[in-house]
Amino acid sequence: MLGGKRAFPVHSRGERGAPCGELKKEKGIHRLEAMLFALDLINKDPDLLPNVTLGARILDTCSRDTYALEQSLTFVQALIERDSTDVRCASGEQPIFAKPDKIIGVIGAAASSVSIMVANILRLFKIPQISYASTAPELSDNTRYDFFSRVVPPDSYQAQAMLDIVTAMGWNYVSTLASEGNYGESGVEAFVQISRETGGVCIAQSLKIPREPRPGEFDKIILRLLETPNARAVVMFANEDDIRRVLDAAKRNNQTGHFLWVGSDSWGSKISPVVQQESVAEGAITILPKRASIEAFDRYFKSRSLSNNRRNVWFAEFWEENFGCKLGMHGKRPGSPKKCTGLEKVGRDSTYEQEGKVQFVMDAVYAMAHALHRMHRDLCLGYPGLCPRMSNIDGKELLGYIRNVSFNGSKGCFFFPPATMNAMQWASGDASVPASVCSLPCQTGERKKVVKGVPCCWHCERCEGYHYQASEFTCQLCPYEQRPDQNRTGCQPIPIIKLEWYSPWAVAPVFIAILGILATTFVVVTFVRHNDTPIVRASGREMSYLLLTGIFLCYVITFPMIAAPGLAVCSFRRIFLGLGMCFSYAALLTKTNRIHRIFEQGKRSVAAPRFISPTSQLVIIFSLISVQLMGVFVWFVADPPHTVVDYGEQRTQDPENARGVLKCDISDLSLICSLGYSILLMVTCTVYAIKTRGVPETFNEAKPIGFTMYTTCIIWLAFIPIFFGTAQSAERMYIQTATLTVSLSLSASVSLGMLYMPKVYIIILHPEQNVPKRKRSFKAIVTAATMTNKLSQLASERPNGEVKTELCESVDNSTPSTKTTYVSYTNHAM
């Protein structure tokens, strides 16, 4: 008879020093009966080990590795020679020691930690071992555990399957929980290693359940898990007892529905861990190696009773536990009021579901049987029963036969229960998958700022300003001519604007310019119709028309300044921007300079100064204008006119308000240079106006010109701070264009109003004053000027009465008539 040893966790781990605890109905009794059932099938099979009977010596490991180690020593007792020299019988005869059955192979154990302990003993005696549930990757080390085999895949497969589940659920932030020992620690280590290599899943914390947990230890574990509340998913590599206690602690701490449990094969499809804790375990996902339910075992197990199953010494205890009754006064359930009748039936009077490792227990037994069968065939050569060569089986030789046994079907496949996401049932009752993530996904337009050392945790930072989300982790600056789109996932062109005719900034300048053009046209028409009248002739017709041309151009420039920029418009702006002022102030400068030279010359002699004829005056004016035109020509050659889009002028902090401004390529420096020459003429003209302020009122327009220049200077002094002070304003284009055009129009209006409107008034409303007067010689003009200078000096040196006397005398002697006289210097001979 061959003995097959099986180390079964029939009982759970004991507490308070006790080696064993309560009975394990599924993990213990189901698996034990699976081995006995497999032995029955093998012994009844005429084709498998004919005339050879397999037996079993079954020991309870009590789910404790140290206790299992003690039990495993009984397997090798038959192989140990005992020293009997010191032992004598009372009769003096030699003692006879009863040797235990010789064990040729071991089926088990269940827990990896127990298998490791047992394997270290069995390898010393070359006893092969086949486990049906130990999955620790460490046991794959053939150099250390060379006599160990198993019919289940290692935990690295489980770890990969659990990682696939976690990834499929979208959980990237999980905690791990392991029972202390090889199974739990190796499983978690494999999960952590694979998740680190694969990426995408971060471990919030890894906790370990001690072998001998103290009171309150599981409550502390739950509280530790709650320190990372976002890591709701908990990957568990723990034994059945620890799983039940963890669930109980979660329920006790009111955390039902918070944790998302992912259990390894130690949980699998077992009922015992979740009995009376269904609510806290709801939504748990557990895995098992791919298996098939053995229907023959179901029929066998349901047929077991107290009368036909006396070989299982723990079956009576199972009967009490399964049916909640008590077997006589020696029963194991002293507190149970119900008495067992022995007529109870498994599956009828109690719930029944085949335990997940039943198939693998039978596989392990059959693997040993097939190895022995092939060994018997090779060594015994048809000898019925055991031949002498198999009386002492070489364990190493048997191991070779075991390793050559193969099974049909895959042993490494895992499945995901259930098949689809929609079939999942969560504690919340919601069909959507609950989250277990460190950080929620960032919204569009936000980048992830990863927490150092925790790639699954990040802070979401919005791409601000002109930045857009270039990738999951970066924001980039849009090109200068673009801005982020509404979602900040890309860039779009910045809208381009220009000054529109309907804008309030354009309506007011255009209105003023139209009025000015109409007024200028009216003055020109009036002068042309009365071209030969004394007032027009006395005003200097040629210079008046030039001055009116400049005034007209100052009004007209408003329109190209507001029109949509283009090559033609930009060209007109360059040409006429300063040309109107140049025409106006060149004419006024020439006129004031002529008056100044005449009266300065009169102080020294009666000879007329040079270049005061109309032709000379026109030459001087056009010479001054030619300088402006020459500058414009050089500007055209050096930098041809073209349009640009200025994206900096209205580049606001909020990209939504950013605009590109279509404008002519005229910089502030170019503008200053264009207007600078005209302003220089204006300032020079003002200086001469100041110098000729003492000219008698009867001589031409010195004082109106002076008032014109003073007012014009005030206008342009106000223009400078307004124009350049708004350079940083978002409304720069509108303010500067309006300021420039209005300043030009006001300058033209001052000149038109002070120099020509009085004349038009007389021409139209008082024609009786527009009559020829007697001509005066240049000598009379100079004498009058000299007399005026003398009177000015006397006014500062004499009392008022004396001055008045001399003034009257001088006037009586030199001026026969006090009536206003219009004098045209152009009529005097040179």
Side-chain angles (χ1 to χ4, degrees), residues 545-721:
Y545 290 132
L546 285 176
L547 181 55
L548 288 170
T549 300
I551 291 172
F552 183 83
L553 292 177
C554 287
Y555 288 123
V556 169
I557 190 61
T558 297
F559 297 95
M561 292 298 294
I562 294 176
L567 180 62
V569 170
C570 292
S571 300
F572 278 119
R573 287 187 186 182
R574 289 193 181 189
I575 295 172
F576 295 106
L577 181 60
L579 189 60
M581 291 179 62
C582 185
F583 264 83
S584 300
Y585 299 123
L588 288 176
L589 174 59
T590 303
K591 183 177 287 191
T592 53
N593 173 266
R594 180 170 178 264
I595 295 173
H596 174 71
R597 288 190 294 115
I598 289 173
F599 284 95
E600 285 296 315
Q601 179 71 17
K603 296 177 183 179
R604 296 188 293 269
S605 67
V606 295
R610 302 172 61 188
F611 309 119
I612 63 174
S613 65
T615 302
S616 301
Q617 298 297 294
L618 292 176
V619 171
I620 294 172
I621 292 173
F622 283 111
S623 298
L624 295 173
I625 294 174
S626 65
V627 174
Q628 174 75 18
L629 293 175
M630 184 61 67
V632 172
F633 175 77
V634 172
W635 189 8
F636 267 74
V637 173
D639 184 18
H642 59 281
T643 59
V644 295
V645 179
D646 187 352
Y647 293 98
E649 183 171 318
Q650 293 197 20
R651 193 174 180 84
T652 57
Q653 290 186 348
D654 184 2
E656 287 296 319
N657 299 325
R659 299 292 184 270
V661 179
L662 179 63
K663 56 167 57 174
C664 294
D665 187 24
I666 300 177
S667 63
D668 290 347
L669 179 61
S670 301
L671 180 66
I672 292 172
C673 294
S674 179
L675 296 176
Y677 178 67
S678 299
I679 293 175
L680 176 62
L681 295 178
M682 179 185 70
V683 172
T684 306
C685 183
T686 303
V687 172
Y688 277 109
I690 294 172
K691 290 184 177 182
T692 58
R693 68 186 183 279
V695 174
E697 295 181 2
T698 55
F699 296 97
N700 255 330
E701 308 158 298
K703 285 183 172 56
I705 291 175
F707 287 126
T708 299
M709 300 316 301
Y710 306 151
T711 307
T712 304
C713 287
I714 293 173
I715 291 172
W716 288 98
L717 286 174
F719 162 80
I720 293 174

Side-chain angles (χ1 to χ4, degrees), residues 430-619:
D430 192 351
S432 60
V433 179
S436 181
V437 294
C438 181
S439 303
L440 295 175
C442 293
Q443 298 179 358
T444 55
E446 295 180 342
R447 76 176 185 94
K448 293 180 180 178
K449 186 178 181 181
V450 179
V451 177
K452 186 176 182 180
V454 190
C456 298
C457 298
W458 57 80
H459 302 294
C460 295
E461 290 187 350
R462 183 165 179 78
C463 297
E464 297 292 345
Y466 290 82
H467 291 80
Y468 72 98
Q469 183 185 2
S471 68
E472 188 178 7
F473 301 99
T474 59
C475 293
Q476 288 186 2
L477 185 66
C478 287
Y480 193 69
E481 69 280 0
Q482 295 183 353
R483 66 180 182 183
D485 57 24
Q486 189 172 5
N487 295 327
R488 288 187 175 271
T489 55
C491 296
Q492 61 184 6
I494 295 176
I496 298 175
I497 61 171
K498 63 184 187 307
L499 183 58
E500 302 292 346
W501 292 103
Y502 54 79
S503 170
W505 298 98
V507 171
V510 168
F511 179 73
I512 296 172
I514 292 174
L515 292 180
I517 291 172
L518 293 176
T520 305
T521 303
F522 177 72
V523 171
V524 171
V525 171
T526 301
F527 267 52
V528 170
R529 291 183 61 186
H530 302 83
N531 190 52
D532 293 326
T533 61
I535 290 181
V536 176
R537 296 180 62 189
S539 299
R541 287 174 295 185
E542 296 81 359
M543 285 192 292
S544 291
Y545 290 132
L546 285 176
L547 181 55
L548 288 170
T549 300
I551 291 172
F552 183 83
L553 292 177
C554 287
Y555 288 123
V556 169
I557 190 61
T558 297
F559 297 95
M561 292 298 294
I562 294 176
L567 180 62
V569 170
C570 292
S571 300
F572 278 119
R573 287 187 186 182
R574 289 193 181 189
I575 295 172
F576 295 106
L577 181 60
L579 189 60
M581 291 179 62
C582 185
F583 264 83
S584 300
Y585 299 123
L588 288 176
L589 174 59
T590 303
K591 183 177 287 191
T592 53
N593 173 266
R594 180 170 178 264
I595 295 173
H596 174 71
R597 288 190 294 115
I598 289 173
F599 284 95
E600 285 296 315
Q601 179 71 17
K603 296 177 183 179
R604 296 188 293 269
S605 67
V606 295
R610 302 172 61 188
F611 309 119
I612 63 174
S613 65
T615 302
S616 301
Q617 298 297 294
L618 292 176
V619 171

Side-chain angles (χ1 to χ4, degrees), residues 164-333:
D164 292 343
I165 292 172
V166 167
T167 303
M169 294 297 170
W171 300 335
N172 66 1
Y173 196 52
V174 302
S175 296
T176 62
L177 185 59
S179 293
E180 185 177 6
N182 296 87
Y183 171 75
E185 295 179 46
S186 298
V188 165
E189 182 181 352
F191 179 84
V192 172
Q193 180 66 26
I194 295 173
S195 64
R196 185 180 295 116
E197 293 173 355
T198 306
V201 175
C202 297
I203 309 301
Q205 51 182 325
S206 292
L207 304 182
K208 190 190 305 182
I209 303 172
R211 276 194 176 89
E212 303 293 338
R214 298 177 181 177
E217 187 70 38
F218 290 92
D219 292 323
K220 292 180 181 178
I221 290 174
I222 294 299
L223 294 177
R224 285 280 306 279
L225 291 173
L226 290 174
E227 291 177 1
T228 53
N230 288 345
R232 295 179 59 190
V234 180
V235 176
M236 299 180 67
F237 276 89
N239 60 57
E240 180 181 339
D241 300 329
D242 288 343
I243 293 171
R244 186 176 64 255
R245 294 173 186 176
V246 167
L247 295 177
D248 183 58
K251 182 179 180 181
R252 192 164 53 248
N253 286 273
N254 297 320
Q255 296 303 319
T256 299
H258 174 76
F259 293 109
L260 307 169
W261 310 106
V262 181
S264 63
D265 63 337
S266 61
W267 186 341
S269 60
K270 296 186 185 70
I271 300 174
S272 58
V274 299
V275 172
Q276 297 181 355
Q277 298 175 151
E278 291 82 359
S279 59
V280 74
E282 187 174 10
I285 303 174
T286 62
I287 65 172
L288 271 178
K290 185 177 181 180
R291 66 185 178 92
S293 181
I294 310 298
E295 294 183 2
F297 175 78
D298 292 339
R299 294 192 297 271
Y300 162 82
F301 193 82
K302 291 179 180 180
S303 68
R304 297 297 88 192
S305 65
L306 292 173
S307 60
N308 65 12
N309 197 23
R310 296 184 181 276
R311 61 182 177 179
N312 185 346
V313 296
W314 296 287
F315 196 72
E317 185 178 354
F318 164 78
W319 198 266
E320 290 183 324
E321 183 71 25
N322 190 55
F323 296 108
C325 59
K326 181 181 178 182
L327 287 170
M329 59 183 301
H330 299 293
K332 298 291 185 178
R333 295 174 60 89

Side-chain angles (χ1 to χ4, degrees), residues 718-771:
F719 162 80
I720 293 174
I722 296 175
F723 186 88
F724 294 100
T726 58
Q728 303 302 322
S729 172
E731 305 289 331
R732 172 186 173 184
M733 174 185 67
Y734 306 110
I735 297 175
Q736 290 188 342
T737 303
T739 303
L740 179 60
T741 54
V742 169
S743 296
L744 289 169
S745 296
L746 289 179
S747 301
S749 299
V750 169
S751 300
L752 185 66
M754 290 190 175
L755 297 180
Y756 292 101
M757 285 305 173
K759 296 179 176 58
V760 172
Y761 173 78
I762 293 175
I763 292 173
I764 296 177
L765 299 180
H766 296 281
E768 70 278 3
Q769 296 181 15
N770 188 12
V771 295

